[in-house]
Each structure stands twice: as C-alpha cells, then as structure tokens.
Amino acid sequence: MLSGRRLDLLDPSPFDIEIEDIAHGLARVARWNGQTVGDHAFSVAQHSVVVQEIVAHIQPDIEPRWLLAALLHDASEYVIGDMISPFKSALGVNYKDFESRLETAIHVRFGLPAKTPRAIKTLIKTADKACAYFEATQLAGFSKTEALGFFGRPPVGYELEIRPEPASIAQARYMDRYHALVAARDAAAAPRPTAWTPKVPRRAAGRRG
C-alpha cells in the first residue's frame, strides 16, 4: 500500500488498513469495468459517496455510524477490485469468505460492528441498487426498462445526475465525506452533560415570630 502498510490478504488485520489507502484505491477502480461514457471512469469512490447520500435520503434519521458503514460498503474493493455479482458467485464460497474477512477487518478498523445488522445491510443494498440504476441509464447504455428489470425503481423523490470525476477529485471527496461522518458519529456517541438544576434554599424549620 502507498501508506507503507503490508496487508495480508489471507488474514487481514485492522491494524494494516488505512482510510487513505482505501480512498486512493477506490478512486482508481472503475465501475462497470470502465465501459461507461465520458472522459473519466465512474469510480467506486464516487459511487460509495452517492450510495451514502441515498441511504440518508431513504432514512433521514439514521445514525451517523450507519452512514459511515454505507460509505465503506465497497471498501474491500480497494485491494480486490470491483467484480460483478455473477462472477463472485462463479468463484465460489472461498472468495465470499475472503471478502467477508476483509470487510470485517475494515469495520473493526473504523469502529463499526464487525457484522452489519441485517436491516442496515438491506438498506445499504437498496441504495446500492438505486445508484446502479442511475449509472446504468446515464453511463452504461441501459434503457430505463432494462435497468428497472435489473435494479428496481430508485427511491421516490430522489433524482441524480451523474458526472464522473477525475480520480484526484473523487479521492478528495471520499476523504472529506469520511471525516465528516466520523466527526458526526463521534459527536453522537459522546456523553451528554447532565442538565444542571439550581437548588432552591430551604427555610429553616421553626415557629414564626
């Protein structure tokens, strides 16, 4: 890794994972294997930021830590690349186990539960498919009917115009979003000071003169 870390892919350690390496790698991994229109590929880094935004649109009151999980939902691809789901299945269970170990290490590194709750995972997957719908119809040559068949209908009221960014910009935006979400998560988790109630002086007991 450019940070100097040496990640053991067969036994990944959270201590060898850095957000700078993730952002750098994802900004240079192309969605759709680069088979998209425009001068720049639509990177996994840019995709991840959009997915996080869609999650926030679907569930505005969601905890910041789950928005961070949404941003990191494809983080493992910074070392293994972006493979389409049918190809992952063709590689078999061993690949899925490997991917799962890497995702667990990433979550532990960034203070998230090792396993994402099922409801949150489903929400992120819904947002992931919504982003894929916009990518397919705007960048990859799919008709709307064809994209609906593969990815379903995007959330009501959410519109997206995709403009693929250069790798350097996608990387910077990913890092900015990461820092913002970590700050929001830490603020939400910080203990709140107990409200101070002034004490009313008590009158001494006794007879009135």
Side-chain angles (χ1 to χ4, degrees):
M1 302 300 162
L2 290 180
S3 66
R5 298 289 187 182
R6 295 295 178 260
L7 183 66
D8 183 347
L9 297 182
L10 297 180
D11 186 21
S13 167
F15 297 107
D16 292 326
I17 295 170
E18 300 293 346
I19 191 61
E20 291 82 5
D21 290 331
I22 292 174
H24 182 92
L26 295 187
R28 289 157 179 81
V29 175
R31 295 274 292 173
W32 307 90
N33 290 324
Q35 297 299 312
T36 50
V37 300
D39 295 331
H40 304 287
F42 186 66
S43 70
V44 176
Q46 192 174 356
H47 163 83
S48 298
V49 171
V50 173
V51 168
Q52 180 263 299
E53 291 173 349
I54 297 175
V55 167
H57 171 83
I58 297 173
Q59 192 171 324
D61 61 345
I62 193 170
E63 294 179 50
R65 60 175 174 160
W66 302 132
L67 293 177
L68 179 60
L71 182 72
L72 294 169
H73 80 281
D74 277 341
S76 62
E77 294 179 8
Y78 87 108
V79 288
I80 63 177
D82 182 22
M83 294 186 184
I84 60 175
S85 295
F87 190 55
K88 289 180 180 180
S89 299
L91 290 176
V93 176
N94 288 340
Y95 176 84
K96 293 181 180 179
D97 288 345
F98 163 73
E99 185 180 39
S100 178
R101 286 196 299 272
L102 184 53
E103 288 175 349
T104 296
I106 290 170
H107 275 215
V108 172
R109 170 64 179 84
F110 298 111
L112 293 168
K115 299 299 180 184
T116 305
R118 184 179 297 275
I120 299 299
K121 205 162 190 174
T122 299
L123 175 61
I124 293 173
K125 188 63 178 177
T126 298
D128 189 39
K129 287 185 175 181
C131 188
Y133 169 86
F134 290 112
E135 294 170 30
T137 54
Q138 296 180 32
L139 302 177
F142 284 57
S143 69
K144 290 186 177 180
T145 300
E146 190 178 14
L148 284 173
F150 281 106
F151 308 112
R153 193 171 299 280
V156 175
Y158 187 87
E159 294 295 333
L160 175 66
E161 181 181 353
I162 297 179
R163 294 182 179 179
E165 301 167 335
S168 59
I169 294 177
Q171 179 177 343
R173 289 188 190 278
Y174 189 93
M175 287 296 302
D176 288 345
R177 187 61 54 88
Y178 166 79
H179 288 302
L181 292 175
V182 167
R185 179 199 62 184
D186 293 348
R192 297 181 180 179
T194 305
W196 179 73
T197 304
K199 293 184 179 180
V200 178
R202 297 178 63 185
R203 298 181 62 180
R207 292 184 301 170
R208 296 181 181 180

PDB file of all heavy atoms in Angstrom, residues 7 29 133 195:
ATOM      1  N   LEU A   7      -0.700  -5.422   3.794  1.00  0.00           N
ATOM      2  CA  LEU A   7      -1.916  -6.123   4.179  1.00  0.00           C
ATOM      3  C   LEU A   7      -1.846  -7.576   3.751  1.00  0.00           C
ATOM      4  O   LEU A   7      -1.636  -7.876   2.575  1.00  0.00           O
ATOM      5  CB  LEU A   7      -3.135  -5.443   3.538  1.00  0.00           C
ATOM      6  CG  LEU A   7      -4.502  -6.000   3.894  1.00  0.00           C
ATOM      7  CD1 LEU A   7      -4.811  -5.777   5.371  1.00  0.00           C
ATOM      8  CD2 LEU A   7      -5.591  -5.350   3.034  1.00  0.00           C
ATOM      9  N   VAL A  29     -10.596   2.569  -9.090  1.00  0.00           N
ATOM     10  CA  VAL A  29     -11.306   1.356  -9.511  1.00  0.00           C
ATOM     11  C   VAL A  29     -12.566   1.792 -10.250  1.00  0.00           C
ATOM     12  O   VAL A  29     -13.393   2.523  -9.704  1.00  0.00           O
ATOM     13  CB  VAL A  29     -11.676   0.464  -8.317  1.00  0.00           C
ATOM     14  CG1 VAL A  29     -12.520  -0.721  -8.776  1.00  0.00           C
ATOM     15  CG2 VAL A  29     -10.416  -0.033  -7.611  1.00  0.00           C
ATOM     16  N   TYR A 133     -28.899   1.854 -10.824  1.00  0.00           N
ATOM     17  CA  TYR A 133     -29.924   2.203 -11.817  1.00  0.00           C
ATOM     18  C   TYR A 133     -29.536   3.480 -12.558  1.00  0.00           C
ATOM     19  O   TYR A 133     -29.588   3.547 -13.801  1.00  0.00           O
ATOM     20  CB  TYR A 133     -31.283   2.391 -11.134  1.00  0.00           C
ATOM     21  CG  TYR A 133     -32.335   2.998 -12.029  1.00  0.00           C
ATOM     22  CD1 TYR A 133     -33.110   2.200 -12.862  1.00  0.00           C
ATOM     23  CD2 TYR A 133     -32.530   4.379 -12.061  1.00  0.00           C
ATOM     24  CE1 TYR A 133     -34.064   2.770 -13.704  1.00  0.00           C
ATOM     25  CE2 TYR A 133     -33.469   4.956 -12.903  1.00  0.00           C
ATOM     26  CZ  TYR A 133     -34.243   4.145 -13.719  1.00  0.00           C
ATOM     27  OH  TYR A 133     -35.169   4.714 -14.558  1.00  0.00           O
ATOM     28  N   ALA A 195     -28.122  17.953  32.725  1.00  0.00           N
ATOM     29  CA  ALA A 195     -28.685  19.299  32.902  1.00  0.00           C
ATOM     30  C   ALA A 195     -28.572  19.718  34.360  1.00  0.00           C
ATOM     31  O   ALA A 195     -28.869  18.936  35.276  1.00  0.00           O
ATOM     32  CB  ALA A 195     -30.143  19.315  32.445  1.00  0.00           C
TER      33      ALA A 195
END
